[in-house]
């Protein structure tokens, strides 16, 4: 199984160890889960953005008062 060595300053290592302990995990498991969690977060954000883009026109038509003025073509709203 692939692995890697990661360097931390003493201060950074102290913080990472504290975070791992707070979650009740070993340092190795904490760092593994952190990387996987970030990968899943990015996948979720990309999917949510694509979903929103697909539904934007339908939403804008159903709720025209919610469309930002910059997307209406009217420029910034007057104060």
């Amino acid at each position: 199984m692939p692995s890697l060595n990661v360097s931390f300053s003493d201060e950074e290592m102290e913080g990472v160890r504290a975070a791992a302990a707070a979650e009740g995990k070993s340092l190795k498991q904490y760092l593994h889960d952190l990387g996987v969690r970030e990968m899943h977060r990015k996948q979720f954000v990309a999917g949510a953005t694509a979903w929103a883009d697909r539904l934007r026109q339908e939403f804008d038509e159903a709720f025209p008062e919610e469309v930002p003025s910059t997307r209406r073509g009217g420029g910034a709203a007057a104060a």
Side-chain angles (χ1 to χ4, degrees):
M1 180 181 316
S3 64
L4 59 111
N5 292 322
V6 180
S7 298
F8 293 97
S9 69
D10 291 340
E11 191 174 283
E12 291 169 336
M13 183 58 87
E14 183 179 319
V16 173
R17 280 194 174 117
E23 290 194 20
K25 296 180 179 179
S26 69
L27 191 56
K28 184 176 181 178
Q29 187 63 52
Y30 176 78
L31 290 173
H32 168 271
D33 292 353
L34 190 63
V36 171
R37 188 168 48 228
E38 178 62 11
M39 180 181 62
H40 289 159
R41 185 193 70 79
K42 285 182 178 183
Q43 290 172 344
F44 173 83
V45 169
T49 300
W51 179 77
D53 289 344
R54 284 194 307 274
L55 296 177
R56 188 175 323 282
Q57 182 176 350
E58 181 181 340
F59 181 89
D60 289 351
E61 290 169 1
F63 304 100
E65 67 281 359
E66 299 294 327
V67 177
S69 60
T70 55
R71 285 208 338 250
R72 278 189 235 136

